[in-house]
Amino acid sequence: MGLAHGASARQSTRTIVTAKLPDLAYDYGALEPVISGEIMQLHHAKHHNTYVTNFNVAMEKYAEAELKGDVATMISLQGAIKFNGGGHVNHSLFWKNLAPPGECAPPEGELLSMIERDFGSLDALKTKFAAQTVAVQGSGWGWLGYDKATQKLAVATTANQDPCSTVGLVPLLGVDVWEHAYYLQYKNVRPDYVNAIWDIVNWKDVAGNLTAAK
């Protein structure tokens, strides 16, 4: 999800994992009326970029601590790495999961077959996903993921910026329910945002994620 390895000038024999803000495949206003251009600009250029910046700072500090054998500092940085790294990974997936309304088509093929097998129907999946995602306390994410152990699809949620992998699933579709993702447009009515977002879900991308996960 946009992670790269670059050598630090002070660490010629070591590499530091760094993140880079990904470009979007569409303009900020392309997801309207579901998500406003103002929200997209702030969400991508400000919020996501902050996660990238803070992750890179934390990783540089971690590398320095590792060189010094400073285990206490390495441990203290884990929270910042998880939060900001998770924010970068989650958002990098989220942007690709979305597409302009006119470019979105319903799921088909293997993805649709698995949805019908594991949830009964696409509408049933949407209902289950919305119920769990809207119920996230505070900030977090709703997920449609693939369970490699059972070879089935599953709906899950995570708090804050915890990635889908922390609940044992490969992420296929993620929906950000932090207030910065919707508040300027939907105020405090999270259900309206979650229900509207189906109109801009890029099911082709979700299907590609499923293929890669298997």
Side-chain angles (χ1 to χ4, degrees):
M1 293 296 180
L3 297 182
H5 291 76
S8 167
R10 289 172 295 172
Q11 297 170 295
S12 58
T13 61
R14 288 175 178 260
T15 59
I16 301 175
V17 175
T18 58
K20 180 181 179 182
L21 183 70
D23 294 329
L24 299 183
Y26 41 79
D27 295 332
Y28 286 140
L31 303 184
E32 293 183 347
V34 178
I35 301 179
S36 71
E38 181 183 13
I39 288 177
M40 287 299 298
Q41 193 276 331
L42 290 170
H43 200 170
H44 176 259
K46 301 297 183 181
H47 289 281
H48 188 171
N49 196 45
T50 297
Y51 297 130
V52 168
T53 299
N54 291 341
F55 174 77
N56 290 339
V57 169
M59 289 303 297
E60 183 173 357
K61 290 180 179 178
Y62 185 92
E64 292 174 353
E66 187 177 24
L67 273 180
K68 298 175 182 177
D70 185 353
V71 176
T73 297
M74 291 166 64
I75 293 172
S76 72
L77 288 166
Q78 293 299 312
I81 291 171
K82 180 182 180 181
F83 180 79
N84 292 292
H88 173 57
V89 169
N90 291 348
H91 284 88
S92 295
L93 176 79
F94 183 51
W95 307 135
K96 292 181 179 180
N97 280 163
L98 306 179
E103 299 177 15
C104 294
E108 57 185 12
E110 182 183 28
L111 175 60
L112 178 59
S113 296
M114 292 183 68
I115 288 173
E116 292 175 340
R117 182 196 69 187
D118 297 335
F119 300 101
S121 68
L122 178 59
D123 285 342
L125 163 61
K126 292 179 178 180
T127 299
K128 182 179 179 67
F129 188 98
Q132 292 187 210
T133 302
V134 168
V136 169
Q137 294 185 351
S139 302
W141 290 75
W143 301 101
L144 172 65
Y146 176 69
D147 187 330
K148 287 190 173 183
T150 63
Q151 298 183 347
K152 292 184 177 181
L153 303 180
V155 170
T157 61
T158 57
N160 301 314
Q161 292 297 349
D162 290 1
C164 186
S165 58
T166 61
V167 291
L169 300 174
V170 179
L172 307 181
L173 168 67
V175 174
D176 187 350
V177 288
W178 280 65
E179 285 192 342
H180 64 235
Y182 63 88
Y183 195 85
L184 286 177
Q185 188 171 353
Y186 294 89
K187 306 307 179 187
N188 64 332
V189 190
R190 182 186 284 177
D192 285 357
Y193 159 72
V194 174
N195 289 326
I197 208 166
W198 296 111
D199 291 339
I200 54 172
V201 168
N202 183 354
W203 288 106
K204 288 184 178 179
D205 182 69
V206 178
N209 292 337
L210 175 62
T211 299
K214 298 183 71 176

